Amino acid sequence: MVKKNIDWENIGFSYMQTDKRYVSNYKDGKWDEGVLTDDANITMNECAGVLQYAQTVFEGMKAYTTEDGRIVTFRPDLNAARMVDSAKRLEMPVFPEDRFVDAVVQTVKANAAYVPPYGSGATLYIRPYMFGINPVIGVKPADEYQFRVFTTPVGPYFKGGAKPITICVSDFDRAAPHGTGHIKAGLNYAMSLHAIVTAHANGFDENMYLDSATRTKVEETGGANFIFVTKDNKVVTPHSNTILPSITRRSIMYVAEHYLGLEVEERDVYFDEVKDFAECGLCGTAAVISPVGKVVDHGKEICFPSGMEKMGPITQKLYDTLTGIQMGHIEAPEGWLKVIE
Ligand SMILES: *Cc1c(COP(=O)(O)O)cnc(C)c1O
């Protein structure tokens, strides 16, 4: 297989059309067998459920080229399971988990020429998603759905290494108690756009959302979970039913405990104790970990001892170990890497 002639080191994080995508349709109570297609466009009725009432859920994951030249994805079974939870919460049919993984494998295989080479820093981003496609005007779930998977090569999230970012405590809420914060639905992102544009306009990189009910506990950012490191090297992550269960964060907590022998805690994290932590990072598929150097709460600054120049030492170890597992030079726990070819 000949790789596409792409300047891998300099592609950004934006959509680039690749050759094939997977499509399966749900009609009369069942999914069809699914196909790979060349057509990147979708034709749907003007009144499609997704357009009127935002009935859509998605996943995000990556394919990597390992040091020994294999193409792998990272824990796709967890994305499949999470999409089941998301679909159920929005009254959508479940796309079977084994078929989800198979659709991802088929799509990556068909676009293997776009999987960036080892060492380029770039990866192939994979976007599975599902939406209501038949006309819906009275408020109810759609009857027909489409499940798709497309891929797009993306550059290293941080060009020239990860510099710590500055985040602000948001005045907006991300998720209500008993709402939809724990599922990966487009609607959670639509309503976060105003908050992130506002944060950027005020000179911040990201928002820290607090729990909507009491505004005393740390939740997450718009698209990444928090980890904190205490001064005695314990790795702490907020426990909450209204944050999205990040696969990266769950993997980092496992790596902290089982590879680095650190103590780990998933518990309520009060905003009042943030000032006492030594390190802070944001976890998600896109950047793996983005180090946070500073949190600003309405003019009051919390500066982590790790500073604004580089990741804290524990964050760096977590990052190196997890990316080492993903790139195949550190042995992965059983079942974490799905070899595509
Ligand atoms: C997708 C997402 C994350 C990160 O999850 P990963 O599985 O690690 O990519 C975190 N928060 C929100 C709100 C998300 O949508």
Side-chain angles (χ1 to χ4, degrees), residues 82 174 184 189 220 222-225 244 246-248 283-285:
R82 194 166 65 184
R174 193 192 83 88
K184 216 164 172 73
Y189 280 79
E220 62 170 323
N225 287 179
L244 194 282
S246 157
I247 294 164
T248 313
C283 315
T285 295

Side-chain angles (χ1 to χ4, degrees), residues 18-83:
T18 55
D19 294 343
K20 301 281 181 185
R21 66 277 306 130
Y22 180 92
V23 185
S24 179
N25 287 295
Y26 181 91
K27 200 175 172 174
D28 301 326
K30 55 182 189 299
W31 290 104
D32 68 14
E33 67 276 19
V35 287
L36 289 170
T37 163
D38 293 333
D39 192 355
N41 293 304
I42 301 168
T43 302
M44 66 176 88
N45 186 271
E46 62 190 352
C47 196
V50 60
L51 298 179
Q52 303 311 323
Y53 302 125
Q55 202 185 12
T56 178
V57 296
F58 68 99
E59 276 301 325
M61 52 211 288
K62 283 173 167 179
Y64 313 82
T65 305
T66 59
E67 201 165 10
D68 59 1
R70 294 171 301 163
I71 294 174
V72 301
T73 59
F74 184 70
R75 310 186 79 180
D77 51 319
L78 297 188
N79 296 93
R82 194 166 65 184
M83 195 170 205

Side-chain angles (χ1 to χ4, degrees), residues 10-16 60-62 123-127 152-159 285-287:
N10 291 305
I11 48 176
F13 205 95
S14 57
Y15 173 74
M16 180 191 297
M61 52 211 288
K62 283 173 167 179
T123 53
L124 188 72
Y125 187 78
I126 307 163
R127 171 53 59 88
T152 184
V154 292
Y157 199 77
F158 299 109
K159 269 200 203 156
T285 295

